[in-house]
Amino acid sequence: MDSITLKVPHTTERPAEITNYGPTTHISQPSVTGTSVVAFKYKDGIIMATDCLASYGSMARFRNETRMISVGNNTLVGMSGDTGDFQHMKHTLENLLTHEYDMDDGQNMGTRSIYKYISNIMYGRRSKIDPLWNSYVVAGVENGESFLGFVDYYGTTYQSPTIATGFGAYLAQPILRKYVEGHEDELTEEEAVRILDDCMRVLYYRDGRSFNKLRRAKVTAEGVEISEPYPLDTNWTIANYVVGYGS
Amino acid sequence: MNFAEMHQPEFAQAPATERHSHGRWEPYVDNGGTSLAIAGSDYVVVASDARQSNGYIINSRYSPKAFQLTNNVILATSGYAADAKRLVEVLEQNSQMYFHKHEKPMSTTATAQMLSNTLYGRRFFPYYVFPILAGLDTEGRGAVFAYDPVGNMERVVYRAFGSAAALVQPFLDSAVGFKNQRNADATRLLDREQALKIAIDAFTGAAERDIHTGDWLDIYIVDGNGVQHQKRELKHD
């Protein structure tokens, strides 16, 4: 009896017309993914949030994942996109810190160095047409100056006082442009938390790949702090009045 | 009949387009933005807006795309921001290597040729960048070099590239080049105040009509005294 060929979901075959010639390509689709990262500057540093969901397509597959990590002493990295590629990046960064470590020299891997390192990996992989399917938000406070940068799988980089990835770029960024832009140096932590929770609430209402269990993180001169998971208060009473969308 | 045969599709291979609904991943993006340069008899003015966008999304309001190399040459870019940043790094590294090897800064014309070679070196996987290189030539005159992404280059008096090039270049043709105007000396060069004013006006106009241009304007003026940089506000919408 002939063997049965199984097609693994989320794996693409090379198009027939380039199987025998052309450049080597390694395109795959993301499989287990995390949605938006929202981050912005405030008076004491940077605040960031991600939810705890890792989706498998439209399935809410893993509901207790962390998409923010602390790298070095004063750098916070948030990720959206493929969680497998994120694990690879975490591994690479751990290697970097291990290799660069010299006992008692008192040196710390700076935020800008980590940002440049991640950016170079992302641009390098896109140039091999074998991208890491992620967007990264890198935040840190170095000698009194806060840093907030973004990298995606094109190797596109930019710095901005407010950053939101994925759906957040459409839903959270307009809120941040209104309440944060121009006031970065005045916003207190309480105000920042309120704005951030509002953004995450809007995302929870309208992003179908989001989850009401999230973590908040901040990076200040004192270092990185990542919260325990918490839920947001939501109000669905108006849902009854929504007309359309097949409701 | 076995299971595998039963489930054989009618055509052994479906058309490639059906199997790849998402298409091939493109390694390029257009991050918008506009750059221009105007040469004078003993100066050159370079201007670039600082907005970086991706489709209808504004990534950043201040992400500079004009860079000063160590040898007082300005490289203004537009197109794909990641490639532009890497291209600037490559050029800066090479010009510093030249400086340490020859104990003198690389001349503007040499840098211009190096940029062309660097771009052509990636002929089959190009840097998706439209560079404008500006500085002073060995006689101290303003020099502007314009390139396509694969290294074709041309020395010009003025040039605009980027998302608003179709708006800005015709304006420069009229205001700087005096094109198709009776009794006008098309060969005359502007003085620097005029050139600066025209550069600013060009960007005010571009920011009004092009959604990918705006926020901030980086201006570099290179002359015998060195490089002067200023940052001005553009439409912030």
Side-chain angles (χ1 to χ4, degrees):
Chain A
M1 183 175 160
D2 296 333
S3 59
I4 299 165
T5 314
L6 290 177
K7 288 201 174 168
V8 183
H10 301 291
T11 304
T12 51
E13 288 167 39
R14 304 187 66 194
E17 65 275 14
I18 65 159
T19 35
N20 296 316
Y21 62 95
T24 317
T25 57
H26 318 263
I27 303 307
S28 58
Q29 282 186 320
S31 57
V32 180
T33 59
T35 184
S36 321
V37 179
V38 177
F40 58 88
K41 290 186 181 176
Y42 72 107
K43 198 159 61 101
D44 311 323
I46 283 124
I47 193 164
M48 185 187 286
T50 57
D51 66 25
C52 298
L53 181 66
S55 310
Y56 180 67
S58 60
M59 182 198 198
R61 183 66 183 84
F62 302 104
R63 303 188 290 176
N64 193 25
E65 291 290 297
T66 309
R67 294 193 283 121
M68 289 181 292
I69 50 162
S70 164
V71 183
N73 295 337
N74 60 338
T75 304
L76 174 66
V77 177
M79 161 272 169
S80 67
D82 192 285
T83 53
D85 287 349
F86 180 44
Q87 290 189 2
H88 171 72
M89 183 63 87
K90 283 196 279 192
H91 185 88
T92 313
L93 290 172
E94 214 169 291
N95 263 163
L96 171 73
L97 289 159
T98 310
H99 278 99
E100 293 296 318
Y101 182 74
D102 273 342
M103 195 181 272
D104 298 331
D105 77 347
Q107 290 293 308
N108 173 235
M109 183 68 74
T111 306
R112 283 161 196 278
S113 309
I114 291 163
Y115 178 58
K116 185 68 185 164
Y117 192 83
I118 297 175
S119 305
N120 282 345
I121 290 175
M122 297 302 278
Y123 181 75
R125 289 293 291 260
R126 93 92 216 188
S127 299
K128 284 201 267 177
I129 327 273
D130 187 14
L132 293 180
W133 217 278
N134 302 123
S135 298
Y136 289 100
V137 180
V138 181
V141 176
E142 269 173 343
N143 22 44
E145 206 189 321
S146 29
F147 175 93
L148 183 57
F150 170 94
V151 209
D152 67 7
Y153 59 14
Y154 293 110
T156 306
T157 55
Y158 57 85
Q159 292 163 44
S160 176
T162 63
I163 289 178
T165 69
F167 239 96
Y170 296 92
L171 297 178
Q173 192 68 280
I175 299 170
L176 298 178
R177 294 254 160 90
K178 182 166 183 184
Y179 293 107
V180 179
E181 211 171 72
H183 312 292
E184 306 94 87
D185 305 327
E186 301 138 37
L187 283 181
T188 62
E189 188 176 330
E190 291 70 46
E191 291 170 319
V193 167
R194 212 195 67 240
I195 295 167
L196 188 65
D197 280 353
D198 279 349
C199 290
M200 296 311 281
R201 190 176 294 108
V202 169
L203 281 166
Y204 178 55
Y205 282 138
R206 282 295 174 181
D207 175 4
R209 304 287 179 261
S210 67
F211 197 45
N212 194 17
K213 179 178 169 188
L214 52 141
R215 281 179 201 265
R216 193 161 59 210
K218 64 171 181 176
V219 49
T220 59
E222 275 70 60
V224 179
E225 232 175 88
I226 302 175
S227 79
E228 285 306 306
Y230 67 97
L232 290 167
D233 295 327
T234 53
N235 176 0
W236 295 96
T237 53
I238 58 143
N240 296 318
Y241 303 102
V242 176
V243 179
Y245 310 107
S247 59
Chain B
M1 184 185 253
N2 71 39
F3 185 83
E5 277 173 20
M6 268 169 63
H7 292 269
Q8 275 295 317
E10 203 178 336
F11 301 103
Q13 237 167 13
T17 46
E18 266 177 48
R19 287 191 294 117
H20 300 274
S21 52
H22 61 97
R24 220 174 96 86
W25 186 72
E26 287 284 328
Y28 293 113
V29 266
D30 181 0
N31 298 112
T34 309
S35 289
L36 71 78
I38 301 169
S41 57
D42 59 352
Y43 72 89
V44 60
V45 174
V46 183
S48 292
D49 75 307
R51 176 177 292 181
Q52 189 197 91
S53 52
N54 187 182
Y56 289 121
I57 286 176
I58 296 173
N59 286 341
S60 172
R61 298 201 188 279
Y62 192 68
S63 187
K65 53 184 150 285
F67 303 89
Q68 180 183 349
L69 307 182
T70 38
N71 54 353
N72 284 358
V73 169
I74 308 297
L75 180 58
T77 65
S78 56
Y80 173 34
D83 270 353
K85 281 177 188 166
R86 175 53 55 88
L87 182 65
V88 170
E89 282 172 13
V90 169
L91 241 63
E92 176 65 17
Q93 279 166 10
N94 287 332
S95 93
Q96 290 211 18
M97 293 291 283
Y98 180 102
F99 179 79
H100 290 113
K101 205 167 179 176
H102 303 284
E103 297 184 340
K104 64 173 184 188
M106 191 184 256
S107 68
T108 302
T109 43
T111 315
Q113 184 60 51
M114 183 179 75
L115 175 53
S116 172
N117 296 156
T118 308
L119 291 165
Y120 194 78
R122 286 278 298 268
R123 175 61 181 80
F124 298 108
F125 185 18
Y127 288 113
Y128 223 115
V129 180
F130 296 84
I132 297 172
L133 189 108
L136 298 181
D137 65 14
T138 39
E139 274 78 52
R141 292 177 302 220
V144 173
F145 295 88
Y147 302 79
D148 77 354
V150 291
N152 188 351
M153 79 171 188
E154 183 182 13
R155 184 171 173 174
V156 292
V157 177
Y158 58 92
R159 179 57 55 88
F161 272 152
S163 57
L167 280 67
V168 175
Q169 188 65 40
F171 171 67
L172 296 182
D173 281 333
S174 174
V176 183
F178 271 4
K179 291 278 161 45
N180 311 102
Q181 291 167 64
R182 264 181 245 279
N183 310 319
D185 175 18
T187 60
R188 68 90 186 75
L189 294 172
L190 296 178
D191 66 47
R192 81 204 235 129
E193 284 69 35
Q194 284 176 311
L196 181 61
K197 208 166 172 299
I198 284 168
I200 294 166
D201 284 353
F203 272 94
T204 322
E208 181 68 28
R209 291 288 176 173
D210 175 25
I211 58 166
H212 301 116
T213 299
D215 294 324
W216 296 96
L217 182 60
D218 272 324
I219 298 173
Y220 289 90
I221 302 171
V222 188
D223 61 16
N225 299 318
V227 180
Q228 189 213 323
H229 173 236
Q230 46 178 292
K231 183 179 162 186
R232 297 177 65 95
E233 224 161 338
L234 284 175
K235 223 162 84 105
H236 226 72
D237 57 353

